[in-house]
Amino acid sequence: GENVEQHPSTLSVQEGDSAVIKCTYSDSASNYFPWYKQELGKGPQLIIDIRSNVGEKKDQRIAVTLNKTAKHFSLHITETQPEDSAVYFCAARTGTASKLTFGTGTRLQVTL
Amino acid sequence: NAGVTQTPKFQVLKTGQSMTLQCAQDMNHNSMYWYRQDPGMGLRLIYYSASEGTTDKGEVPNGYNVSRLNKREFSLRLESAAPSQTSVYFCASIGVGDRGLYEQYFGPGTRLTVT
């Protein structure tokens, strides 16, 4: 089955700096890669996703890049703000199945 | 539109006790899921239901049973709770939501402690 690895497990950046979180996946048939943000005491919420026919996608301060050859994808957050502090999860989906395989999460802390 | 709701929010059980975690969604989604979240292990799929009347095992189904009561509701049952089942449980459904995106929507979670 699919295996998703995520790094780093914790990340601390100063407000205004950029943050990058990286994930690798094992199944070359995976075709959908969402990123979720989880705030304390809440369920994860989708923030951006990318499909395998696209190399990069941007939404305001967040962007995701996908390298299918290397089987890795990354989340980039620019101009970080304190409200970006949360746990971020990457995930991968194979084929048309609805099941997602999640990474182990990255705790991002944005300091003033 | 409440999205995905879960009850209870918190629960403490003694080893061997049973309980049912309830989940409901009002978005008319076909597929629903139960995950557990443990520190350092991300979200792991317990069971899922692709449509009303069907259920399938996920990555960690042992010790759990599920019921897809109707399109809205998907419950998770622990017949004989064990300390290893101490975790945060999330229910989710998948479909198109208010943002027009096909995505997985999560409930707020149930924090379960088994002593």
Side-chain angles (χ1 to χ4, degrees), chain B residues 3 9 12 19 30 39 42 44 49 51 56-57 65 67-69 71 73-74 81 85 102-103 106 109 111:
Chain B
K9 284 194 165 62
V12 178
M19 79 160 294
N30 285 321
R44 292 184 293 168
S49 171
S51 61
D56 285 287
K57 294 178 181 179
N65 282 303
S67 295
R68 184 73 183 268
L69 305 170
K71 193 171 186 180
E73 298 171 288
F74 188 39
Q85 293 178 305
Y102 184 80
E103 62 179 278
F106 286 85
R111 187 174 294 274

Side-chain angles (χ1 to χ4, degrees), chain A residues 32 36 38 41-44 46 89 93 98-100 102-104, chain B residues 33 35 37 40 42-43 45 48 90 99 102-104 106-108:
Chain A
Y32 174 66
Y36 288 83
Q38 185 178 25
K42 295 184 179 179
L46 180 73
F89 291 95
R93 187 186 73 195
S98 298
K99 291 187 290 181
L100 293 172
F102 285 84
T104 50
Chain B
Y33 307 79
Y35 292 91
Q37 184 176 36
L43 290 142
L45 184 64
Y48 68 103
F90 287 99
R99 298 191 288 177
Y102 184 80
E103 62 179 278
Q104 193 158 65
F106 286 85

Side-chain angles (χ1 to χ4, degrees), chain B residues 13-57:
Chain B
L13 292 177
K14 287 185 165 50
T15 297
Q17 287 186 317
S18 62
M19 79 160 294
T20 299
L21 282 65
Q22 307 287 354
C23 173
Q25 52 91 9
D26 60 2
M27 297 175 283
N28 203 34
H29 291 166
N30 285 321
S31 301
M32 297 184 73
Y33 307 79
W34 275 106
Y35 292 91
R36 61 177 288 173
Q37 184 176 36
D38 301 294
M41 301 190 75
L43 290 142
R44 292 184 293 168
L45 184 64
I46 305 171
Y47 269 94
Y48 68 103
S49 171
S51 61
E52 188 179 351
T54 68
T55 61
D56 285 287
K57 294 178 181 179

Side-chain angles (χ1 to χ4, degrees), chain A residues 61-79:
Chain A
R61 295 187 298 109
I62 58 172
V64 57
T65 58
L66 171 65
N67 182 328
K68 285 195 298 180
T69 304
K71 289 190 281 189
H72 67 69
F73 56 113
S74 301
L75 178 71
H76 304 253
I77 306 174
T78 58
E79 300 171 29

Side-chain angles (χ1 to χ4, degrees), chain A:
Chain A
E2 175 67 279
N3 182 49
V4 177
E5 294 189 359
Q6 182 172 349
H7 300 280
S9 57
T10 59
L11 179 59
S12 182
V13 299
Q14 283 199 316
E15 183 179 6
D17 287 351
S18 296
V20 180
I21 302 169
K22 298 182 179 182
C23 289
T24 60
Y25 61 98
S26 61
D27 190 343
S28 56
S30 289
N31 58 12
Y32 174 66
F33 307 92
W35 285 89
Y36 288 83
K37 176 182 181 182
Q38 185 178 25
E39 296 175 335
L40 196 62
K42 295 184 179 179
Q45 184 173 19
L46 180 73
I47 54 170
I48 195 167
D49 59 13
I50 191 167
R51 299 182 189 277
S52 58
N53 58 347
V54 175
E56 183 174 356
K57 184 175 178 181
K58 196 171 181 181
D59 183 3
Q60 298 183 335
R61 295 187 298 109
I62 58 172
V64 57
T65 58
L66 171 65
N67 182 328
K68 285 195 298 180
T69 304
K71 289 190 281 189
H72 67 69
F73 56 113
S74 301
L75 178 71
H76 304 253
I77 306 174
T78 58
E79 300 171 29
T80 53
Q81 300 167 4
E83 51 265 38
D84 294 329
S85 296
V87 179
Y88 291 81
F89 291 95
C90 63
R93 187 186 73 195
T94 301
T96 56
S98 298
K99 291 187 290 181
L100 293 172
T101 301
F102 285 84
T104 50
T106 296
R107 183 174 299 279
L108 172 65
Q109 184 170 5
V110 180
T111 57
L112 297 173

